[in-house]
Amino acid sequence: MVKPLPYHQIYEIFERFEAIDPEPKGELEHVNAYTLVVAVALSAQATDVGVNKATRGLFAVADTPQKMLDLGEDGVIAHIKTIGLYRNKAKNVMKLSRILVDEYGGEVPSSRAALEGLPGVGRKTANVVLNMWWGHPAQAVDTHIFRVGNRTRIAPGKDVVAVERAVEDNVPARFQRHAHHWLILHGRYTCVARKPKCGACPIADLCPFPEKTA
């Protein structure tokens, strides 16, 4: 089992992340909790940039579950057909919108269990919504966090659940709320999958990754 970095090193890493970007934000565009749920659900196997391009027009006409139902599945498809798996995603958007209207009065629930009960909403999506909308210290582990967590040994783990738990266990409480955004952004722009930009990395001296680039 790979041991995480010592606590004091993890603390210093997040101090540096905080100094660079004190209030990191997710890059998916949304106007309320409902559009955030839809945007995150649509982002599976798609880029945030691509999702934002598709949802700007969609959310302009359907920013509530009832408006989405009124738009209809074909209307949703017309807006999101540039996104991968758009037909299945459109079906899930309609199904989750119906559940929100029928069971939650059109409001998005604030519990992980309820969110995960919505079609197309898994643990990662639920954690993103809990963190970004309600400010819960929930850790949504995607491929970026999985990579960064293991490379830096901030949160080593063999699967996303293990890495999620490692982030919760290893990251100091002070940094828990923004931890997943700092790690995502670091993985998206600096600690990239191929040829990580170690020469420009603010935590390179603290990172034990054996395949650092010059």
Side-chain angles (χ1 to χ4, degrees):
M1 182 177 178
V2 178
K3 291 184 178 180
L5 282 181
Y7 178 87
H8 71 277
Q9 288 184 258
I10 294 176
Y11 197 98
E12 184 171 348
I13 285 172
F14 282 94
E15 276 191 319
R16 294 184 190 182
F17 286 156
E18 183 180 53
I20 294 168
D21 188 0
E23 290 288 331
K25 305 294 182 184
E27 296 183 328
L28 285 173
E29 296 173 7
H30 59 283
V31 297
N32 53 30
Y34 171 69
T35 54
L36 177 58
V37 170
V38 173
V40 180
L42 293 176
S43 72
Q45 300 181 42
T47 66
D48 287 0
V49 172
V51 172
N52 288 338
K53 287 180 179 178
T55 57
R56 283 172 196 144
L58 176 63
F59 294 157
V61 296
D63 60 358
T64 69
Q66 187 58 59
K67 288 180 183 178
M68 197 70 74
L69 293 172
D70 293 341
L71 180 62
E73 187 174 322
D74 289 341
V76 174
I77 287 174
H79 285 283
I80 70 167
K81 59 186 178 182
T82 56
I83 300 174
L85 307 175
Y86 68 90
R87 291 190 184 279
N88 189 54
K89 290 177 180 180
K91 291 181 186 298
N92 283 333
V93 168
M94 298 306 291
K95 290 176 182 177
L96 73 83
S97 298
R98 172 54 63 193
I99 291 172
L100 291 176
V101 169
D102 291 350
E103 299 182 20
Y104 297 100
E107 299 295 324
V108 175
S110 59
S111 81
R112 178 183 282 108
L115 286 167
E116 289 188 32
L118 298 173
V121 176
R123 186 179 184 88
K124 174 195 161 188
T125 299
N127 282 342
V128 171
V129 175
L130 289 171
N131 181 276
M132 289 181 63
W133 193 256
W134 283 287
H136 294 185
Q139 307 303 331
V141 176
D142 66 354
T143 55
H144 297 302
I145 292 183
F146 186 82
R147 179 173 67 253
V148 173
N150 278 289
R151 280 182 178 175
T152 62
R153 298 212 329 258
I154 290 170
K158 293 183 178 180
D159 55 49
V160 293
V161 174
V163 171
E164 177 185 325
R165 290 173 177 162
V167 173
E168 293 172 347
D169 290 343
N170 302 339
V171 175
R174 169 184 165 187
F175 304 114
Q176 281 283 326
R177 182 182 173 191
H178 293 313
H180 96 273
H181 277 134
W182 282 317
L183 293 171
I184 286 172
L185 294 172
H186 188 63
R188 184 172 290 167
Y189 297 111
T190 303
C191 194
V192 294
R194 297 182 181 180
K195 297 183 180 179
K197 302 171 184 177
C198 301
C201 176
I203 63 167
D205 59 312
L206 298 170
C207 174
F209 183 49
E211 299 173 37
K212 288 181 183 176
T213 60

